[in-house]
Amino acid sequence: FSNLPYTLYTKSEFWLNSPGLPLIKLGVVLVWASLAFVWTQYGMRQSAWSWVRQLGTSSLLVYWVHIEIVYGRWLGIWKERLPDWACVLLTIAVVGSMVLLAWGKERAQSKWKARTVAAAA
């Protein structure tokens, strides 16, 4: 997209105002969504635990916490200063911690429901 001979703007920078950048991002999201669908439908048994399903059931909590961690003050000192390999490791760590957070939320909810049912009986 950045090497096309025509542009909509007089001064165009690919990473700031290129109309192709949202299309590329949309394509990446669609590829990830299709991989998640294939993983959930065909890659595992329906009764088995799935990290994709786990993240999906707690998506609002995971979204809020990951926004605070990644874009908030938590890792702000490292923002735009990490080498590529550190970004990959940090991404894996954040995704893993979000899966653990979603799993912990589900466990806490099931224990709370069991206590309220036992107290009501």
Side-chain angles (χ1 to χ4, degrees):
F1 277 101
S2 65
N3 293 331
L4 291 174
Y6 49 87
T7 181
L8 296 175
Y9 308 107
T10 56
K11 184 178 184 315
S12 176
E13 293 185 41
F14 179 75
W15 295 108
L16 296 178
N17 58 7
S18 171
L21 190 58
L23 294 175
I24 292 171
K25 290 180 180 182
L26 177 64
V28 170
V29 167
L30 289 174
V31 166
W32 277 107
S34 64
L35 289 174
F37 174 77
V38 168
W39 170 265
T40 305
Q41 285 297 115
Y42 306 111
M44 53 166 284
R45 297 184 319 272
Q46 289 296 329
S47 62
W49 181 84
S50 168
W51 65 275
V52 174
R53 189 176 295 136
Q54 188 70 58
L55 286 175
T57 58
S58 303
S59 59
L60 183 60
L61 174 67
V62 166
Y63 176 75
W64 177 72
V65 172
H66 114 274
I67 289 294
E68 284 296 319
I69 291 173
V70 174
Y71 301 109
R73 292 181 220 143
W74 297 85
L75 301 175
I77 58 171
W78 292 338
K79 212 174 270 184
E80 298 178 9
R81 296 184 194 157
L82 291 175
D84 293 342
W85 63 269
C87 286
V88 170
L89 288 178
L90 199 56
T91 300
I92 292 169
V94 168
V95 170
S97 65
M98 293 303 103
V99 170
L100 285 174
L101 175 69
W103 177 76
K105 176 201 161 246
E106 184 179 305
R107 297 256 318 176
Q109 269 184 332
S110 64
K111 284 183 181 182
W112 182 76
K113 284 180 185 178
R115 264 192 257 153
T116 56
V117 168

